[in-house]
Amino acid sequence: MKRTQNMMMKKTMAIACVLATSLSVSFAQQWKPAGDKILTPWGEKLDAAKPHPEYPRPQLKRSGNWQNLNGLWKYKITTKDEKNIPTSWDGDILVPFAVESALSGVGKSVNKDQALWYHNDINLDKKVQKGKVLLHFGAVDWQCDVYVNGKHVGQHEGGFDPFSFDVTAALKKGAKQQVSIRVWDPTSDGPQPRGKQINNPHGIWYTPVTGIWQTVWLEAVPQTYIVNTKQTPDVDASSLTVSANLEGAQAGDMLLVEAHDQGKKVAESSVAAGTEAQLKIANPQLWSPDSPKLYDLKVKVVRKGKVVDEADSYFAMRKITVKKDAKGIQRMFLNDKFLFHYGPLDQGWWPDGLHTAPSDEALKFDVVKTKEMGFNMIRKHIKVEPARWYRHCDSLGIMVWQDMPSGDLGGNVWDMQPGKISNGQHDKDRTAASEAIYKKEWKSIMDVLHNFPSIVIWVPFNEAWGQFKTKEITEWTMKYDPSRLVNSASGGNFSFTGPIVDIHNYPDAAMPDPNIFGEKFVLVLGEFGGLGLPVEGHTWQQKDNWGYQSFKNKEELQRRYEEVIHNVSSLIPLGLSAAVYTQTTDVEVETNGLMTYDRKVIKIPEASLKEIHRKLYNVDVTK
């Protein structure tokens, strides 16, 4: 009898496995990449049943009580005036890929007179059917209205910052729920921050990104919970300051913060909720590209001796400062040591996912390759990445210069004379509404990214693209986050503000005049290079691709690259402190990447690049 039961159980399990496999295959058959553009290796093998399954928030991680909502949703493109949730749908869209992308399975454009709707019938996991339920969005471009079971739960504007809504009151009894989303995005017809997107892609301007482009997820939290934390290191004082924003805090609640090093507690502080905790870190190991040391952090809300909420985070001890070298020229010092910053201009675009990497493995790949090539920095160019990208930079040891995505372009006077300072006279006049949108999103981006130690420089403006009130924006940024440096206008209209003067020059290396600027400003070459090599079979289009200077083969490209790096090295003793090479990968019609757009071809071997770059890091500025 027992043997018969075991045989029946095995047979049932086998049938279940076959059924699960069949359902998975059926699910995958509902989706395929749209269009005929090149795909990355990760896009080619994408599992549509579980895109981007990883926990999306590494700086505030709760264990267990979350549910990933990525996958196939319904979508519909309507007129902008349509405010009611549709009752019929155009088809399926794979979240979190923008509707214009191949990996969305749709590949359609949406203009300023249209709205994009999403809909998903979900089954709440048991682990998120208790306490409060938060609905999180990593990023949605641009204006987003969210409905749960037909009830409007909130609106968010901003294409690059995460947001969430407490949807507890909108949930029905039981597991079955409905989530609907309306998105409106004017792209280049509006003043909002948009980066490289444009309605008519050409040259250095790329395909629009509309709608959800980062992970959507649910999280169950207690009535009193940690909304976010802010942790700032002070290397000189060997301390870490930690504060936490709490929802539902009660009188008498305490904030308990613990620092751990490889499982061993090294510091602890308990303070009243709403106040800052100071942790003393004895003999701290400092974070640098050569030694990216990270400490673990545990943050707890304690009430009458009982932990009511807790989350895991991490931090690093590092500082970035400016001081003069032996010749009286301003330099950047990491942990009191001069380190030449050299990295690629990193657009963060993908041929199949546009703003969205096909997978976390792909997202990490670019950072790994950058490190293997001998770079110590990345300039994240007018785009904000998902939080996991910054975690990879933190872990691997890559400094990040973080740009603010530009918007409201056009109408600027752009003076690119390296020896001239505009002193604000070329700033653009933007409307009050346009300025407010910029300031709101810039503050939100800085808040969200504050805890990532790899970020060492904020860049509010690029090449006078929408540049306005330079002095005001720069000085506010410096005051809001004194733990980092501010590069006020990379290659733009420079004013007497901030510690850095930054020029762009293509293709050869150049620098701001040290005799004019060196005594007061750090001297930076914010963009140069752009050496192009189209690789047949790996380009966005068959012809009319371009670089700032194009070559016929890899050998010619490498020889020319060695020349420009030699020129960079000759400028460092004269006062140059950083350089940014254009660029990490090809992007659409630009073929000036060190890798092809599909990441399948590396044009100059990683080991060769690392050896070429070695000379940039051996300059002694103390003599």
Side-chain angles (χ1 to χ4, degrees), residues 43 96 101 117 156 166 200 241 342 384 414 449 495 514 529 576 585 601:
S101 72
W117 288 85
H156 177 266
D166 183 343
N200 177 30
T241 300
Y342 184 55
V384 178
W414 184 18
L449 299 182
S495 300
L576 188 67
T585 72
V601 179

Side-chain angles (χ1 to χ4, degrees), residues 133-164:
V133 179
L134 307 180
L135 177 58
H136 294 278
F137 297 84
V140 180
D141 197 355
W142 175 72
Q143 184 188 82
C144 176
D145 286 275
V146 180
Y147 303 80
V148 174
N149 297 317
K151 298 178 181 177
H152 187 258
V153 296
Q155 182 185 84
H156 177 266
E157 292 183 344
F160 296 92
D161 55 322
F163 60 97
S164 62

Side-chain angles (χ1 to χ4, degrees), residues 36-38 534 536-545 589:
D36 58 359
K37 297 295 186 182
I38 54 176
E536 186 175 355
H538 300 276
T539 56
W540 179 253
Q541 58 191 32
Q542 293 300 313
K543 59 181 181 178
D544 298 327
N545 298 292
V589 302

Side-chain angles (χ1 to χ4, degrees), residues 427-428 435 439 461 467-474:
D427 280 355
K428 180 176 181 176
E435 289 188 12
K439 291 175 181 178
F461 298 113
Q467 185 177 339
F468 74 101
K469 294 185 177 178
T470 309
K471 184 176 176 63
E472 175 189 321
I473 297 298
T474 300

Side-chain angles (χ1 to χ4, degrees), residues 28 197 223 271 394 422 427 469 510 525 561 563:
Q197 305 173 59
Q223 294 299 314
V271 296
D394 292 344
S422 71
D427 280 355
K469 294 185 177 178
L525 175 58
Y561 185 82
E563 287 179 6

